Amino acid sequence: MTLKRQLFIASLLMLLIPWAGLQFVLELDQALRDQAARQLQSQAERIAGFAAEQLEDSPAIKPGTPVIYADLLSRPPNLDGYGDDWPGYDEEESRQQWQSTRKIGDGSGAEVSWQAAVNRNHLYLLIRVSGRTAEFFNPGDPDQPHDQIQLHLIDGNQASRRLIRTQAPGSINAIEPGRDGSTDYRISGYWQAVSNGYQAELRIPRPAPSTRLGFQVTWPGADAVSTGKADVVAGNASAELVTRLPSLENRLEAMIAPGQGAWILEPDGWVIARQERNSEADDPEFDSLSPFQIIERISLNGLRALVRFYQPEPVPMDDQSHRMEAGELPARGLVRHLDGDTHMLVKQPLDDGRVLVLEESLDQLLALSGSTLGSVIARSVLLIIGLMLVLLGYASWLSWRITRLQRAVSATIDDDGRVLGTLPPAKAKDELGDLSRQFSHMVERLQGYTDYLESFSRRLSHELKTPVAVVRSSLENLSHTTDPADQASYIERARGATDRLRQILQGMSEAARLEQSLDHAEKETFDLAEVAAQTTLAYQELDPEHRIRYSGPDNGCPCHGSPELLVQLLDKLVDNARDFTPSGGRIEVRLHPAQGRLELSVFNEGSALPDNLTSDIFSPFVSVRTGKQEGHLGQGLLIVRLIAEHHGGEVMATNESNGVRFRVMLLAA
């Protein structure tokens, strides 16, 4: 699996944070809804007690009683026979939302629709007959059948009737039957022909609360239709006039908070009081929001939708209707209005059978509003998404750097393992930069080791070529001579060449054994000053022909490593110095601590090193000896270099005014 995918999977774990936040929000939402329901219930009990006092003089309407429900008008309608200035009129579709309709059973398919409203001291009726053309009153033949509207008013045991008829569309007034058709100018209106029928718009003095009202629409061949439950009746029809109570609504407004709504219903569900207060929180204009605020609001709306998804399913509620079925509403729960808003609702029954319905918008609750908590959750989600994108981008960048390093490393070494070049320098200061530099250093060391192997093979071939040639020529000459003296000379030459081969193999074996022993050498912390001083004293006792001295502190130079190997390193350096120091010459072993490092050096008086061999002298089969020492293998300084590198140090050789100094730089413990 690639690093990018690993980081992507790891970043997905960050989604546990918004998941845990969502669980917290859901639990908080449930707790807030429970608390809101309890508070609403307590508030509903207080409002119900107040409403009961206000309604003491208004007895409740018994269930099943016929009702004419009248809307409240802020201004009187224009009596023109049209309904465009009545409540519920839909201007776009040019239609009226009628309260009650009923088909007439005369086979014509006609329908009667009506709507009532009150304004101060007047009652207004809008009656529409659809599906038939009106037959008007003929004064020349009063007994001729015609369309008419009969009004009935019943106050206790007294009943009165008014008749409305017209000779043609236009203004109308009521007449009093039985009194020679005298006109009652208190009842006026307008008869208007409309598409597929006709309408009558009437203004009537507002009946007293104890008065029952009814009306009938009749035409030739049809039965009368009453208003109550729209039943067909033969006699007078009457119904209770029900409307909203402004005084009660004004008192309700003072008792509800912003975002709440209250309804008081008759036992049959008729609304006699309705009051709502909008939330005081105003949404800022879209143009005033910054891009981050726009994204935050989108996230917050998504959070609200997610919380609503886990809420109980709200009960549909027509909050604009004149009549509510209280039994279909929950005693305590969620309801959804026609506009889609969700509210918390409670019901509180009154003593006379009426019901108080109180609700509060869920936008007032903390978990679903634009509050600090909702904003924090929304911002957290945005922050986590941003962090995931940053992590994925960072993973892609790391993957690109690793791929580039992989290609660079592959380009430096061919399939046969030969080093083709060096890695480009890395400037990064992080771990990948360090890794790139380590690879570069490794490639350089591999190049150096490859060069060493190639030079070693050349030098070994050169070293072996001479003794092998001597042995071969001696054997050939020995086969061609019979002189004992010549034979002895050839045999001696062959023996010397074989001794040289043995020394070469022995030196190679010694270096190989040393490299193997380095892997198993145990390191410890010891005082290098004491080791150098004691070893130098032993060298002086073994070689009185040279002046071998120690220069440096007697103690206090801790070093971590193998004292036996460092003694072997000094042996090789001092042996090499004795070979190049004339009799009576000075050999100095010096130890100098400086800045966390220990400089161990051996100086000898004598000839200087060639400038081209100051670095190659620590390679195998390199020697500057002449004369009797010419056959030396040059493996001693190779061993010095191996021991120094094993201790994390380095070795170098420099010429001084009257001799040569070999320096070994070691780390102090």
Side-chain angles (χ1 to χ4, degrees):
M1 185 179 295
T2 62
L3 180 62
K4 185 188 299 184
R5 291 185 179 179
Q6 294 178 17
L7 285 178
F8 174 72
I9 294 175
S11 63
L12 289 179
L13 296 177
M14 298 182 66
L15 294 177
L16 293 175
I17 299 176
W19 177 83
L22 176 61
Q23 299 303 313
F24 171 74
V25 170
L26 294 177
E27 294 178 3
L28 180 62
D29 174 67
Q30 179 64 42
L32 289 174
R33 285 191 284 109
D34 293 341
Q35 181 182 8
R38 291 192 295 268
Q39 292 176 349
L40 279 178
Q41 194 68 56
S42 300
Q43 184 180 2
E45 293 175 358
R46 295 192 301 270
I47 296 176
F50 164 79
E53 295 178 359
Q54 297 291 315
L55 295 172
E56 286 181 352
D57 298 334
S58 300
I61 298 176
K62 297 180 180 180
T65 302
V67 167
I68 293 179
Y69 189 86
D71 283 303
L72 286 178
L73 297 179
S74 59
R75 61 180 182 178
N78 183 24
L79 296 179
D80 56 2
Y82 295 104
D84 52 357
D85 53 353
W86 280 70
Y89 178 78
D90 191 336
E91 184 176 358
E92 293 183 358
E93 299 184 10
S94 299
R95 62 183 180 86
Q96 185 74 28
Q97 296 180 359
W98 304 98
Q99 291 186 31
S100 177
T101 62
R102 175 64 187 259
K103 279 190 175 183
I104 304 303
D106 62 347
S108 64
E111 294 182 1
V112 175
S113 307
W114 59 272
Q115 188 171 355
V118 294
N119 177 258
R120 296 185 179 180
N121 297 324
H122 289 90
L123 169 68
Y124 295 87
L125 285 176
L126 180 64
I127 303 172
R128 178 171 184 172
V129 177
S130 304
R132 68 168 274 108
T133 302
E135 296 183 21
F136 297 106
F137 173 69
N138 184 3
D141 187 5
D143 296 331
Q144 179 180 347
H146 56 273
D147 289 46
Q148 62 181 354
I149 300 174
Q150 298 180 23
L151 298 178
H152 306 273
L153 296 174
I154 302 175
D155 186 2
N157 296 325
Q158 296 182 358
S160 61
R161 186 166 66 96
R162 297 291 184 270
L163 183 65
I164 298 173
R165 61 192 181 186
T166 182
Q167 302 176 29
S171 299
I172 54 177
N173 291 103
I175 61 175
E176 299 183 37
R179 297 180 58 184
D180 300 329
S182 61
T183 303
D184 187 353
Y185 291 99
R186 297 178 303 166
I187 300 177
S188 61
Y190 201 94
W191 190 296
Q192 184 67 265
V194 295
S195 62
N196 195 32
Y198 59 90
Q199 285 184 176
E201 191 172 13
L202 305 177
R203 181 177 63 187
I204 307 169
R206 186 170 179 174
S210 59
T211 301
R212 297 169 65 88
L213 172 69
F215 68 87
Q216 295 175 329
V217 181
T218 61
W219 59 82
D223 296 329
V225 178
S226 81
T227 58
K229 290 187 178 180
D231 293 329
V232 177
V233 296
N236 296 332
S238 63
E240 293 280 353
L241 179 63
V242 177
T243 187
R244 289 157 46 197
L245 305 178
S247 59
L248 181 58
E249 291 183 340
N250 293 336
R251 299 299 299 271
L252 283 179
E253 184 179 8
M255 302 186 69
I256 60 176
Q260 291 184 340
W263 289 262
I264 296 181
L265 310 179
E266 291 287 346
D268 261 353
W270 297 103
V271 178
I272 60 173
R274 179 178 67 195
Q275 194 58 262
E276 296 176 275
R277 292 184 62 184
N278 295 328
S279 175
E280 295 179 351
D282 295 329
D283 293 334
E285 294 294 335
F286 180 82
D287 296 338
S288 65
L289 298 177
S290 65
F292 179 79
Q293 290 175 327
I294 293 175
I295 297 176
E296 180 183 348
R297 285 190 170 273
I298 293 175
S299 302
L300 186 58
N301 290 335
L303 178 64
R304 291 176 179 175
L306 191 59
V307 172
R308 289 193 180 102
F309 177 77
Y310 286 98
Q311 287 177 347
E313 182 64 25
V315 177
M317 172 183 172
D318 186 358
D319 57 312
Q320 300 300 323
S321 175
H322 304 299
R323 186 178 185 181
M324 295 184 184
E325 294 294 339
E328 297 179 0
L329 297 177
R332 177 189 296 183
L334 299 180
V335 294
R336 179 181 290 114
H337 288 185
L338 296 178
D339 58 3
D341 290 341
T342 304
H343 296 253
M344 170 64 67
L345 178 142
V346 296
K347 293 191 305 185
Q348 179 65 34
L350 278 65
D351 295 338
D352 56 1
R354 293 185 173 104
V355 177
L356 169 67
V357 176
L358 183 63
E359 68 172 15
E360 182 177 9
S361 173
L362 285 187
D363 287 339
Q364 296 297 109
L365 299 183
L366 179 62
L368 297 180
S369 67
S371 59
T372 302
L373 178 61
S375 298
V376 167
I377 296 298
R379 292 179 183 181
S380 300
V381 173
L382 292 178
L383 178 61
I384 290 172
I385 294 175
L387 288 177
M388 290 181 61
L389 294 177
V390 170
L391 282 177
L392 291 178
Y394 181 67
S396 301
W397 180 63
L398 284 181
S399 177
W400 173 77
R401 291 181 60 189
I402 294 173
T403 303
R404 186 181 63 173
L405 178 60
Q406 177 186 2
R407 292 175 180 173
V409 172
S410 300
T412 57
I413 301 176
D414 62 9
D415 296 337
D416 297 330
R418 184 178 298 275
V419 179
L420 301 178
T422 59
L423 289 175
K427 298 181 181 180
K429 304 299 183 181
D430 55 6
E431 287 80 359
L432 273 180
D434 294 339
L435 180 61
S436 179
R437 285 185 287 272
Q438 289 293 332
F439 272 122
S440 179
H441 182 61
M442 181 188 69
V443 170
E444 291 177 359
R445 294 180 63 183
L446 285 176
Q447 182 65 48
Y449 189 68
T450 302
D451 295 340
Y452 161 73
L453 292 178
E454 292 177 352
S455 62
F456 178 80
S457 62
R458 290 195 302 269
R459 290 170 181 172
L460 180 60
S461 175
H462 176 73
E463 292 293 330
L464 293 178
K465 185 183 298 182
T466 300
V468 170
V470 171
V471 171
R472 181 173 182 178
S473 62
S474 298
L475 292 177
E476 289 179 354
N477 292 333
L478 184 61
S479 64
H480 292 88
T481 183
T482 57
D483 186 2
D486 292 338
Q487 290 179 349
S489 175
Y490 294 144
I491 293 174
E492 184 63 26
R493 288 179 60 189
R495 183 180 294 111
T498 56
D499 290 340
R500 176 63 177 167
L501 288 173
R502 180 180 55 79
Q503 292 176 4
I504 293 173
L505 296 176
Q506 183 178 355
M508 293 175 59
S509 177
E510 180 182 0
R513 286 196 303 271
L514 175 65
E515 289 184 304
Q516 294 178 358
S517 65
L518 293 178
D519 297 333
H520 303 285
E522 296 182 359
K523 293 184 178 182
E524 59 182 83
T525 301
F526 61 95
D527 195 335
L528 183 59
E530 296 179 358
V531 172
Q534 295 175 5
T535 305
T536 305
L537 183 60
Y539 294 151
Q540 181 62 64
E541 293 177 356
L542 294 175
D543 187 5
E545 296 182 1
H546 299 92
R547 292 180 290 117
I548 305 176
R549 300 291 183 266
Y550 169 72
S551 174
D554 294 332
N555 52 44
C557 296
C559 179
H560 186 72
S562 173
E564 292 81 7
L565 292 177
L566 290 178
V567 169
Q568 186 177 358
L569 179 145
L570 279 176
D571 289 344
K572 297 297 182 183
L573 290 177
V574 173
D575 286 343
N576 182 75
R578 283 202 302 262
D579 291 341
F580 292 93
T581 304
S583 179
R586 180 172 63 91
I587 299 175
E588 180 189 37
V589 177
R590 186 176 69 181
L591 179 62
H592 176 65
Q595 298 180 353
R597 296 176 69 88
L598 300 174
E599 179 183 327
L600 179 64
S601 64
V602 175
F603 171 80
N604 67 276
E605 295 179 343
S607 58
L609 291 173
D611 293 337
N612 60 341
L613 290 180
T614 54
S615 59
D616 292 341
I617 196 171
F618 298 101
S619 300
F621 305 112
V622 176
S623 177
V624 295
R625 289 173 174 81
T626 60
K628 294 180 180 180
Q629 300 175 345
E630 187 175 358
H632 198 277
L633 294 176
Q635 297 288 88
L637 294 181
L638 171 63
I639 294 175
V640 170
R641 192 195 74 186
L642 294 176
I643 295 176
E645 292 177 350
H646 175 69
H647 286 78
E650 56 182 348
V651 61
M652 63 192 73
T654 57
N655 291 319
E656 295 190 359
S657 59
N658 57 347
V660 178
R661 183 176 296 276
F662 290 85
R663 291 183 175 87
V664 180
M665 305 300 296
L666 301 172
L667 297 175

